[in-house]
Amino acid sequence: MATAPLNLEADVVELTRDICDIESVSGNEKQLADAIEAALQKYSHLEVIRDGDAIVARTNLGRSNRVVIAGHIDTVPVANNLPVQMLSMEREQVLYGRGTVDMKAGVAVQLKLAATLTQPTSDVTWIFYDHEEVEAAKNGLGRLARNRPELLDASFAVLCEPTSAQVEGGCNGTMRVDLTFSGVKAHSARPWMGKNAIHGAANALAILADYQPAEIDVDGLVYRESLNAVLIGGGIATNVIPDECVVTVNYRFAPSKSAADAESHLREVFAGMEMTVMDVAEGARPGLDRAEAKAFVAATQTEARPKYGWTDVARFSALGVPAVNFGPGDPSKAHADDEAVPVSQIYACEKALRAWLSVG
Amino acid sequence: MATAPLNLEADVVELTRDICDIESVSGNEKQLADAIEAALQKYSHLEVIRDGDAIVARTNLGRSNRVVIAGHIDTVPVANNLPVQMLSMEREQVLYGRGTVDMKAGVAVQLKLAATLTQPTSDVTWIFYDHEEVEAAKNGLGRLARNRPELLDASFAVLCEPTSAQVEGGCNGTMRVDLTFSGVKAHSARPWMGKNAIHGAANALAILADYQPAEIDVDGLVYRESLNAVLIGGGIATNVIPDECVVTVNYRFAPSKSAADAESHLREVFAGMEMTVMDVAEGARPGLDRAEAKAFVAATQTEARPKYGWTDVARFSALGVPAVNFGPGDPSKAHADDEAVPVSQIYACEKALRAWLSVG
């Protein structure tokens, strides 16, 4: 489908609308990536680099420091919520539709500023990447970090993920474990011939139901941890005593803890149970004790809060680049069928980032 | 496939072998039903009636009472265990293979006695029926009870289901309920926005794990009850707080209890939880206080025990006909891949039933 060229100098809300209406569910980013690449190439103050469906545009003004401002251009599947609509909700104007929150409003802010901020006070590397909403192995920012790590060099990074236009620092880590309970099959008329694996899981569920998650201060932000069963399955047939029950547990742990710390905590919580670590991603410290982060918070005139969901800020953290999340939209509306962003937050983010990149 | 005619006067173990080797997994009983019908029709002392793949053969000698001796001719799916083999196991000879226990050895005893007992002291209705191992709606004995209830008229019934050649009276009832726990979905990074339905099931599993089943005396036999989770399922994805968890519970209850009694007990046990009755079949009282049953136990020289698994004796019980289970094979080997029947039990059942049907 041919699309009208993107006008990066349009009102940022109109620009949000335009890029939302170019459907770009993970794996289908090409059309939007093409449009972004073509629009950015018109600006002589930007060097534009493409890697797959990721676009990098950067200034090379010889500033004393460089910042990265990044966002992903893919969305979760559309839920009959495109094209976007402008609606009045609870006395505020919102853009309603897939991608408005996660995270095309943030991408629109990036694009508008990339085009119009020809003389930022720091050099800026703008990154627009693919495949964030699917398995980590496909993540476009991860691919850039492997193929072109020099493109991610910076003293500070901002990820424009939705934060309701507040600075959210770092992120919790996440670990997934399977607890496996074994039993012995028997006919359910003679259960004493077997051993019930579902009953064997009773203690694990009791531990989960009673668990008091910690709140942990990291660099001045308090991270709320959590421990939850996310899946449970067991049993073969309605007349058979089950010989296996698996409880899948998700532990969100503070960024002060390593993967090993998290695992050892869970081995203590579920002592005596068969536990297998299925997946882990460490968190990111907020880095709000760093001068760059303090300057960002000051320039954007917001108050920093902890980020609970794991985001790609952890990729910057792993590269030694302090990073925060800052973008329009309520993160709890991400992926929701009624995804909608207040337009006031889009303007607020544009204004705040422009102020930050204009301070002397 | 053409089969050699069945020789009903052969050694009962050879006859067991012959009918096991005619595969008759539920739905595929026709070939075996044809062979049984043809073999029984040779005997002038029997009236042979066919209904679908069920065969009824009865004497009409004008005796003062009539008994039913019934068995099903279908099996659960073959597990690479046909044709049957004669093996020595733990110093005894066994027939090893699908159907040997459940319940073609019993059917062979029925066929041998139907052919050779030309002058039983009670009139006998021999029933060989289809579709016992599948959903109750297809059950051949149930179909006969609906289509030709007069064929089931009797003062006593024996079902040749495996009982290790002991009399097992009546059977427990069985009720299946679903316990449904509801929650509220949320991203697992912010679980406090939702409510975890799997954690909500913790108390139900604790109740099940701690449950002390009753042992209930009915007509002189002690029935052991049981209450077990047989299935559990919950959760949508590894990053979503689950909004539903369903625990499927099987209650085996003594035959002195009605379905309503059973339900009210479970509503008390799981008070405050959302419980739906999915399936129920009442048990069968052993009827061992009846003269016919006492005579049977005496003639077969065995000691009566309670039956735990629900069997079609409950269909006779519902028709007002006292019924017991009596057949060769260990019921815990039914459906097992290593299903095998000791040949001594086949002979013992043949001898006991012959003695009973020969007493003056």
Side-chain angles (χ1 to χ4, degrees):
Chain A
M1 188 175 81
T3 320
L6 292 176
N7 176 6
L8 303 189
E9 293 168 51
D11 179 274
V12 69
V13 173
E14 284 309 306
L15 183 55
T16 301
R17 194 164 189 155
D18 289 344
I19 64 175
C20 285
D21 287 346
I22 302 175
E23 181 260 285
S24 57
V25 174
S26 308
N28 194 36
E29 296 95 335
K30 183 175 183 300
Q31 189 188 351
L32 179 55
D34 288 350
I36 289 172
E37 183 184 21
L40 290 169
Q41 274 173 334
K42 291 186 196 148
Y43 296 93
S44 59
H45 67 286
L46 295 173
E47 175 195 11
V48 179
I49 299 152
R50 180 156 181 165
D51 180 287
D53 285 332
I55 313 293
V56 178
R58 59 180 181 178
T59 62
N60 293 301
L61 302 167
R63 302 297 192 224
S64 59
N65 74 317
R66 173 175 291 280
V67 298
V68 164
I69 304 179
H72 64 85
I73 64 171
D74 60 320
T75 70
V76 296
V78 177
N80 199 24
N81 54 357
L82 280 186
V84 298
Q85 295 173 273
M86 180 76 83
L87 301 176
S88 288
M89 275 188 177
E90 293 177 4
R91 303 194 203 178
E92 69 181 355
Q93 289 286 103
V94 301
L95 270 187
Y96 179 101
R98 177 59 73 230
T100 50
V101 170
D102 192 10
M103 54 163 286
K104 288 182 174 175
V107 169
V109 170
Q110 290 181 252
L111 287 169
K112 173 96 186 252
L113 295 176
T116 58
L117 268 179
T118 56
Q119 291 291 326
T121 49
S122 300
D123 269 313
V124 184
T125 303
W126 303 96
I127 300 180
F128 306 90
Y129 63 99
D130 54 290
H131 285 101
E132 193 271 347
E133 296 290 5
V134 287
E135 59 269 36
K138 290 189 175 172
N139 184 292
L141 191 63
R143 190 181 64 241
L144 283 173
R146 286 190 303 274
N147 294 351
R148 304 286 305 270
E150 74 282 4
L151 293 178
L152 275 58
D153 272 355
S155 59
F156 189 63
V158 178
L159 200 62
C160 296
E161 287 275 4
T163 61
S164 298
Q166 301 296 308
V167 176
E168 292 191 348
C171 67
N172 269 334
T174 180
M175 173 171 278
R176 181 160 49 89
V177 301
D178 277 359
L179 302 174
T180 302
F181 300 90
S182 298
V184 177
K185 265 189 278 193
H187 195 287
S188 66
R190 290 175 295 278
W192 49 88
M193 307 286 286
K195 184 182 163 208
N196 193 313
I198 296 176
H199 298 190
N203 195 31
L205 293 202
I207 288 168
L208 285 161
D210 294 344
Y211 185 80
Q212 296 299 323
E215 302 198 343
I216 295 177
D217 189 308
V218 183
D219 301 346
L221 292 184
V222 175
Y223 286 83
R224 191 167 171 181
E225 296 196 333
S226 62
L227 185 68
N228 275 273
V230 286
L231 297 173
I232 190 168
I236 299 147
T238 56
N239 64 349
V240 177
I241 298 303
D243 64 342
E244 187 172 276
C245 180
V246 177
V247 185
T248 301
V249 173
N250 184 209
Y251 177 39
R252 302 282 175 153
F253 55 96
S256 53
K257 293 184 181 172
S258 67
D261 293 339
E263 179 175 346
S264 103
H265 176 62
L266 293 190
R267 293 212 178 274
E268 197 173 305
V269 168
F270 298 115
M273 302 181 196
E274 184 186 333
M275 184 185 107
T276 309
V277 176
M278 306 304 285
D279 192 33
V280 63
E282 291 183 338
R285 297 185 72 102
L288 292 171
D289 48 348
R290 302 246 203 146
E292 296 88 344
K294 285 181 179 163
F296 181 80
V297 172
T300 53
Q301 296 186 296
T302 67
E303 194 174 337
R305 302 186 306 195
K307 183 77 176 172
Y308 293 115
W310 193 92
T311 76
D312 279 331
V313 292
R315 296 183 194 277
F316 290 106
S317 187
L319 293 168
V321 181
V324 298
N325 301 278
F326 179 72
D330 178 347
S332 70
K333 286 287 182 190
H335 305 192
D337 289 353
D338 63 346
E339 184 173 350
V341 63
V343 302
S344 62
Q345 292 187 11
I346 309 179
Y347 292 126
C349 285
E350 179 190 7
K351 185 177 168 199
L353 287 176
R354 188 184 295 280
W356 173 53
L357 294 170
S358 305
V359 286
Chain B
M1 189 176 79
T3 320
L6 292 175
N7 176 6
L8 304 189
E9 293 167 51
D11 179 274
V12 70
V13 173
E14 284 310 305
L15 183 54
T16 300
R17 193 163 190 158
D18 289 345
I19 63 176
C20 284
D21 287 346
I22 302 174
E23 181 260 284
S24 57
V25 175
S26 309
N28 194 36
E29 297 94 335
K30 183 174 183 300
Q31 189 189 351
L32 179 56
D34 288 350
I36 288 172
E37 183 184 21
L40 290 168
Q41 274 173 336
K42 291 186 195 148
Y43 295 93
S44 60
H45 68 284
L46 296 173
E47 176 195 12
V48 179
I49 299 152
R50 181 156 180 165
D51 180 287
D53 285 331
I55 313 293
V56 178
R58 59 180 180 177
T59 64
N60 293 300
L61 301 167
R63 301 295 192 225
S64 59
N65 74 316
R66 173 175 291 281
V67 296
V68 165
I69 304 178
H72 65 84
I73 63 172
D74 60 321
T75 70
V76 296
V78 177
N80 199 24
N81 53 358
L82 280 185
V84 297
Q85 295 173 273
M86 178 75 81
L87 301 176
S88 287
M89 277 187 174
E90 293 177 6
R91 303 196 204 179
E92 68 182 356
Q93 289 287 102
V94 302
L95 270 186
Y96 179 103
R98 177 60 73 230
T100 51
V101 170
D102 194 10
M103 56 166 282
K104 288 182 173 175
V107 169
V109 169
Q110 288 181 255
L111 287 169
K112 174 96 187 253
L113 294 176
T116 57
L117 268 178
T118 55
Q119 290 290 328
T121 49
S122 298
D123 269 313
V124 184
T125 302
W126 303 96
I127 300 180
F128 306 90
Y129 63 99
D130 55 288
H131 284 102
E132 193 270 348
E133 297 290 4
V134 287
E135 58 268 38
K138 291 189 174 173
N139 184 292
L141 191 64
R143 190 180 65 241
L144 282 173
R146 287 191 303 274
N147 294 352
R148 303 286 305 272
E150 74 283 4
L151 293 179
L152 275 57
D153 272 355
S155 60
F156 189 64
V158 177
L159 201 62
C160 296
E161 288 274 4
T163 61
S164 299
Q166 300 296 308
V167 176
E168 291 191 348
C171 67
N172 269 334
T174 179
M175 173 171 278
R176 181 160 48 89
V177 301
D178 276 359
L179 302 173
T180 302
F181 301 90
S182 297
V184 177
K185 264 188 279 193
H187 195 288
S188 65
R190 291 175 295 279
W192 50 87
M193 308 286 285
K195 184 182 163 207
N196 193 313
I198 295 176
H199 298 189
N203 195 30
L205 293 202
I207 287 168
L208 284 161
D210 294 343
Y211 186 79
Q212 296 298 324
E215 302 199 343
I216 296 177
D217 188 308
V218 183
D219 302 345
L221 292 185
V222 175
Y223 287 82
R224 191 167 171 181
E225 296 195 334
S226 62
L227 185 68
N228 275 272
V230 286
L231 297 172
I232 191 167
I236 298 147
T238 55
N239 63 348
V240 178
I241 297 303
D243 65 343
E244 188 173 275
C245 180
V246 177
V247 184
T248 300
V249 173
N250 184 209
Y251 177 38
R252 301 282 176 152
F253 55 96
S256 53
K257 292 184 181 172
S258 67
D261 293 338
E263 179 175 347
S264 106
H265 176 62
L266 294 190
R267 293 212 178 275
E268 198 172 303
V269 168
F270 298 115
M273 303 182 195
E274 183 187 333
M275 183 185 107
T276 310
V277 176
M278 306 304 286
D279 191 35
V280 63
E282 292 184 336
R285 297 185 71 102
L288 291 172
D289 48 349
R290 301 245 204 148
E292 296 87 345
K294 285 181 178 164
F296 182 79
V297 172
T300 53
Q301 296 186 294
T302 66
E303 195 174 337
R305 303 185 304 197
K307 183 76 176 172
Y308 293 114
W310 193 91
T311 77
D312 279 332
V313 294
R315 297 184 193 276
F316 290 106
S317 187
L319 293 168
V321 180
V324 296
N325 299 279
F326 180 71
D330 177 349
S332 70
K333 286 287 181 188
H335 305 192
D337 290 353
D338 63 345
E339 184 173 350
V341 64
V343 301
S344 61
Q345 293 186 11
I346 310 179
Y347 291 126
C349 286
E350 179 191 6
K351 185 178 166 196
L353 288 176
R354 187 184 296 279
W356 174 54
L357 294 170
S358 304
V359 287

